[in-house]
Amino acid sequence: MGVSRLDVIYRRLLLTKLFIGGWGKPEDLKRIFEFRKIIGDREKCKSLVPEDYPVYISKTEEHSDFHIHDGFFISPLEHWVPGILPPEALKARWSCLKNVSDLFVMGGALILESTVLLHWLERGGYWPLGMTGISMGGYMASLAVTNWPKPIPLIPCLSWSTASSVFTTGVLSKAVNWTELEKQYAINSVYEEEITHLLEYCGADSLRMGTEPLKNADTIESLLGLSRGERPSVGQYTETGREGEVEQGPLIGRGPKGGRNGDKDHLLSSVNNSGTSLDTRSLYAKSTLHWKNRNSAKCFRPSLHRESISFMKGVMDECTHMANFSVAGAGGESERGKKALNWILRALYPIGALDPVPVDTGLIIGVQAKEDAYIPRTGVLSLQEIWPGCEVRYLNGGHISAYLFKQNAFRQAIYDAFNKFSLKYPN
């Protein structure tokens, strides 16, 4: 199945860029990865948000068959990972994706914030409760339901099992600021040498992706009328290529640790051994030039774009893949078998607990567009593989056309999911 030309053309008309700030602080990524292990376990997650967590309502509009409440509450994520949220997001009202890490922060915050709202609705006597959303909203609704300890209808529309394909092979990959991401990945060794080793998700679909990002990128570029040479990338050579030739070592691997000071110490040692007198200003200038040349070599290595895409997929799968929130924790040997199929665990970094699926996957009805260029499904575990028993309905067309013209299909899925719930859980 091809991709929708409307999706590609629509994305081309938008000039916005994603992740303009880069990956985010390495320390933030480390904290998020550690917290993911907690919220990925429903039993642990249950204790993170009290049932009486305070919600403040500032305005209520009462209509004949529905009410609209306007209010706020302090995001519980601030209590558990202090300082990770930007100030404007503390009251659970606003979020933006300046850094890659912001997407993971938003997901963790939403899981806890959804729990606050569901508790609040239960206290108010509202029933039955359900979750739905479109595109990223559908994905976030899925995250929220995996951690709710009761059966609940879930209707994710135009979303899938992971965000990694969205930003590496979908049309949104063209909006990613790869120039900044590649530069940061090349210069700051902590991403490759430390963050990579914290990634525990390495499922079958991560391995299947392989060169898929490049194949899909070419497909989308051909629809946009771009040649491969027109794709902007820090990984491309300069016209002269001289900076990339200054030092060949970093093009293959990284040298000894020690960074800038290590380079300066090496220079000092060499000069002292030769018996040459020291001019500190000249020496510092040489050291700085050496450091810049070394960083330039890193930034212009041919494999940089591919490495950055692989790293993006790794961190995205770690924090957004439903399999990280989706293997039942109380299912005996058969569930352990599913876990073994969906996960290839790193020997040094095993996950200690089985993670949760929604309590009743029979209440899930997903709605997908067959030619969706925003949410690629090729090479990615399907919702049915991760949540056996769920239903997925497919619409003709792409992401944009489904959103504009297929709203009735979304509403029908919502009605059907709630009907299933009412029949199965009448009290």
Side-chain angles (χ1 to χ4, degrees):
M1 181 65 68
V3 296
S4 165
R5 288 183 176 273
L6 177 59
D7 286 356
V8 175
I9 293 171
Y10 181 80
R11 177 58 246 178
R12 189 179 184 181
L13 295 176
L14 300 179
L15 301 179
T16 53
K17 281 286 185 181
L18 297 173
F19 311 133
I20 58 174
W23 299 105
K25 297 178 182 178
E27 315 87 71
D28 289 347
L29 285 170
K30 292 177 182 179
R31 296 170 72 197
I32 294 165
F33 292 166
E34 288 302 314
F35 190 66
R36 202 280 306 161
K37 299 174 186 177
I38 298 174
I39 59 175
D41 185 320
R42 185 162 53 227
E43 289 305 310
K44 294 179 181 178
C45 195
K46 281 168 57 176
S47 63
L48 300 181
V49 179
E51 292 186 6
D52 59 351
Y53 195 92
V55 175
Y56 306 97
I57 301 300
S58 56
K59 180 182 177 182
T60 298
E61 295 182 16
E62 297 187 5
H63 298 265
S64 59
D65 54 352
F66 65 93
H67 292 177
I68 299 176
H69 299 283
D70 187 15
F72 73 92
F73 55 89
I74 303 301
S75 177
L77 187 64
E78 177 64 17
H79 300 299
W80 297 105
V81 193
I84 200 75
L85 283 168
E88 61 270 20
L90 288 179
K91 288 189 176 182
R93 282 181 178 269
W94 179 254
S95 183
C96 63
L97 300 180
K98 180 180 179 182
N99 305 310
V100 172
S101 61
D102 292 338
L103 181 67
F104 311 146
V105 171
M106 183 170 64
L110 182 132
I111 288 174
L112 300 182
E113 292 164 11
S114 296
T115 302
V116 171
L117 290 174
L118 290 170
H119 282 318
W120 177 77
L121 288 166
E122 282 194 331
R123 294 199 306 271
Y126 293 98
W127 184 93
L129 303 175
M131 285 265 184
T132 187
I134 300 176
S135 194
M136 183 182 287
Y139 173 79
M140 293 296 180
S142 299
L143 275 185
V145 169
T146 60
N147 283 273
W148 184 243
K150 302 175 183 179
I152 183 173
L154 168 63
I155 309 90
C157 303
L158 306 182
S159 65
W160 204 233
S161 57
T162 178
S164 64
S165 59
V166 174
F167 298 107
T168 58
T169 67
V171 291
L172 278 182
S173 65
K174 305 298 295 181
V176 172
N177 187 5
W178 290 110
T179 300
E180 181 64 25
L181 293 175
E182 290 172 19
K183 181 177 72 174
Q184 292 183 11
Y185 182 81
I187 293 176
N188 194 340
S189 62
V190 70
Y191 295 112
E192 181 178 1
E193 295 177 1
E194 296 182 30
I195 300 296
T196 299
H197 295 296
L198 297 177
L199 306 181
E200 292 184 344
Y201 180 77
C202 188
D205 49 341
S206 282
L207 298 179
R208 282 207 306 262
M209 283 293 287
T211 58
E212 190 67 31
L214 297 181
K215 292 180 181 178
N216 256 10
D218 288 343
T219 301
I220 292 169
E221 284 165 5
S222 66
L223 285 174
L224 289 171
L226 299 176
S227 66
R228 297 182 69 177
E230 289 178 295
R231 181 177 62 200
S233 168
V234 175
Q236 295 174 346
Y237 290 108
T238 58
E239 290 182 1
T240 62
R242 290 178 182 175
E243 287 189 329
E245 297 172 356
V246 171
E247 185 174 339
Q248 291 299 320
L251 289 173
I252 301 173
R254 299 189 181 276
K257 292 183 179 179
R260 185 169 185 169
N261 290 332
D263 291 337
K264 188 187 291 186
D265 291 341
H266 176 71
L267 254 149
L268 285 169
S269 175
S270 299
V271 173
N272 281 327
N273 289 338
S274 66
T276 307
S277 60
L278 297 178
D279 181 334
T280 55
R281 286 178 296 181
S282 174
L283 184 60
Y284 180 75
K286 291 178 181 178
S287 175
T288 302
L289 177 61
H290 177 77
W291 174 252
K292 288 181 178 178
N293 287 340
R294 182 176 179 179
N295 280 343
S296 296
K298 291 179 182 179
C299 287
F300 289 94
R301 63 179 185 263
S303 62
L304 183 56
H305 189 67
R306 182 189 294 272
E307 291 176 37
S308 299
I309 289 178
S310 297
F311 185 71
M312 173 73 86
K313 175 154 179 59
V315 295
M316 284 285 175
D317 277 342
E318 176 69 18
C319 286
T320 73
H321 204 299
M322 286 300 162
N324 269 356
F325 306 86
S326 298
V327 181
E333 293 302 318
S334 63
E335 297 300 337
R336 294 178 188 274
K338 293 175 188 174
K339 186 179 181 68
L341 290 173
N342 288 342
W343 292 73
I344 301 175
L345 298 177
R346 297 178 185 269
L348 296 177
Y349 303 96
I351 292 179
L354 296 177
D355 301 319
V357 295
V359 172
D360 189 344
T361 56
L363 301 177
I364 301 173
I365 301 178
V367 183
Q368 308 299 324
K370 291 181 180 179
E371 300 175 4
D372 197 325
Y374 281 81
I375 317 290
R377 297 185 296 274
T378 303
V380 177
L381 287 175
S382 69
L383 290 181
Q384 296 99 319
E385 289 177 283
I386 298 172
W387 296 335
C390 75
E391 178 185 351
V392 178
R393 301 175 181 179
Y394 292 93
L395 306 174
N396 291 326
H399 198 87
I400 301 301
S401 63
Y403 179 80
L404 293 176
F405 308 118
K406 305 294 177 64
Q407 295 277 342
N408 285 339
F410 302 156
R411 286 191 284 270
Q412 187 61 54
I414 294 171
Y415 298 148
D416 294 344
F418 272 88
N419 285 337
K420 284 186 177 183
F421 178 87
S422 299
L423 293 173
K424 198 169 185 178
Y425 304 97
N427 297 321

Coordinates of all heavy atoms in Angstrom, one line a residue, residues 23 178-188 234 295 299 304 308:
W23 N 18.1 17.2 21.1 CA 17.7 16.0 21.8 C 17.2 16.3 23.2 O 16.4 15.6 23.8 CB 18.9 15.0 22.0 CG 19.5 14.6 20.7 CD1 20.6 14.9 20.1 CD2 18.9 13.6 19.8 NE1 20.8 14.3 19.0 CE2 19.8 13.4 18.7 CE3 17.7 12.8 19.9 CZ2 19.5 12.5 17.7 CZ3 17.5 11.9 18.8 CH2 18.3 11.8 17.8
W178 N 17.0 17.7 11.7 CA 18.1 16.8 11.7 C 19.5 17.5 11.8 O 20.5 16.9 12.3 CB 18.1 15.9 10.5 CG 16.9 14.9 10.5 CD1 15.8 15.0 9.7 CD2 16.7 13.8 11.4 NE1 14.9 14.0 10.0 CE2 15.5 13.2 11.0 CE3 17.5 13.3 12.4 CZ2 15.0 12.1 11.7 CZ3 17.0 12.1 13.0 CH2 15.8 11.6 12.7
T179 N 19.6 18.7 11.3 CA 20.9 19.4 11.3 C 21.4 19.5 12.7 O 22.5 19.2 13.1 CB 20.8 20.7 10.6 OG1 20.4 20.5 9.3 CG2 22.1 21.5 10.7
E180 N 20.5 20.0 13.6 CA 20.8 20.2 15.0 C 21.0 18.9 15.7 O 22.0 18.8 16.5 CB 19.8 21.1 15.7 CG 20.1 21.4 17.2 CD 21.3 22.3 17.3 OE1 21.7 23.0 16.4 OE2 21.9 22.2 18.4
L181 N 20.2 18.0 15.5 CA 20.3 16.7 16.1 C 21.6 16.0 15.8 O 22.2 15.4 16.7 CB 19.1 15.8 15.7 CG 17.7 16.2 16.2 CD1 16.6 15.3 15.7 CD2 17.6 16.2 17.7
E182 N 21.9 16.0 14.5 CA 23.2 15.3 14.1 C 24.4 16.0 14.7 O 25.3 15.4 15.2 CB 23.3 15.4 12.6 CG 22.3 14.4 11.9 CD 22.3 14.6 10.4 OE1 23.3 15.2 9.8 OE2 21.3 14.2 9.7
K183 N 24.4 17.3 14.8 CA 25.5 18.1 15.3 C 25.6 17.7 16.8 O 26.8 17.4 17.3 CB 25.3 19.6 15.2 CG 26.4 20.4 15.7 CD 26.2 21.9 15.5 CE 25.1 22.4 16.4 NZ 24.9 23.9 16.3
Q184 N 24.5 17.7 17.6 CA 24.6 17.4 19.0 C 25.1 16.0 19.2 O 25.8 15.7 20.1 CB 23.3 17.7 19.7 CG 22.9 19.1 19.7 CD 21.6 19.4 20.4 OE1 21.0 18.5 21.1 NE2 21.1 20.6 20.4
Y185 N 24.5 15.1 18.4 CA 24.9 13.7 18.6 C 26.4 13.4 18.3 O 27.0 12.6 18.9 CB 24.1 12.8 17.6 CG 24.3 11.3 17.7 CD1 23.8 10.6 18.7 CD2 25.2 10.7 16.8 CE1 24.0 9.2 18.8 CE2 25.5 9.3 16.9 CZ 24.9 8.6 17.9 OH 25.1 7.3 18.0
A186 N 26.9 14.2 17.3 CA 28.3 14.0 16.9 C 29.3 14.6 18.0 O 30.3 14.0 18.3 CB 28.6 14.6 15.6
I187 N 28.9 15.8 18.5 CA 29.8 16.5 19.4 C 29.7 16.0 20.8 O 30.8 15.8 21.5 CB 29.5 18.0 19.3 CG1 29.8 18.6 18.0 CG2 30.3 18.8 20.4 CD1 29.5 20.0 17.8
N188 N 28.5 15.7 21.3 CA 28.4 15.2 22.7 C 28.4 13.7 22.8 O 27.4 13.1 22.4 CB 27.1 15.8 23.3 CG 27.1 15.7 24.8 OD1 27.8 14.9 25.4 ND2 26.2 16.5 25.4
V234 N 23.8 17.5 8.3 CA 25.1 17.8 8.8 C 26.1 16.7 8.3 O 27.3 16.8 8.2 CB 25.2 17.9 10.3 CG1 26.6 18.1 10.8 CG2 24.3 19.1 10.7
N295 N 36.1 18.1 16.3 CA 34.6 18.1 16.2 C 34.1 18.2 14.8 O 33.1 17.6 14.5 CB 34.1 19.3 17.1 CG 34.1 19.0 18.5 OD1 34.2 17.8 18.9 ND2 34.0 20.0 19.4
C299 N 31.4 15.8 13.0 CA 30.2 16.3 12.4 C 30.1 15.9 10.9 O 28.9 15.9 10.4 CB 30.1 17.8 12.6 SG 29.8 18.3 14.2
L304 N 26.8 9.7 9.8 CA 26.2 10.5 10.9 C 24.7 10.5 10.8 O 24.0 10.4 11.8 CB 26.8 11.9 10.9 CG 26.2 12.8 12.1 CD1 26.5 12.1 13.4 CD2 26.9 14.2 12.0
S308 N 22.2 9.0 13.5 CA 21.2 9.9 14.2 C 19.8 9.3 14.1 O 19.0 9.3 15.1 CB 21.2 11.3 13.6 OG 22.5 11.9 13.8

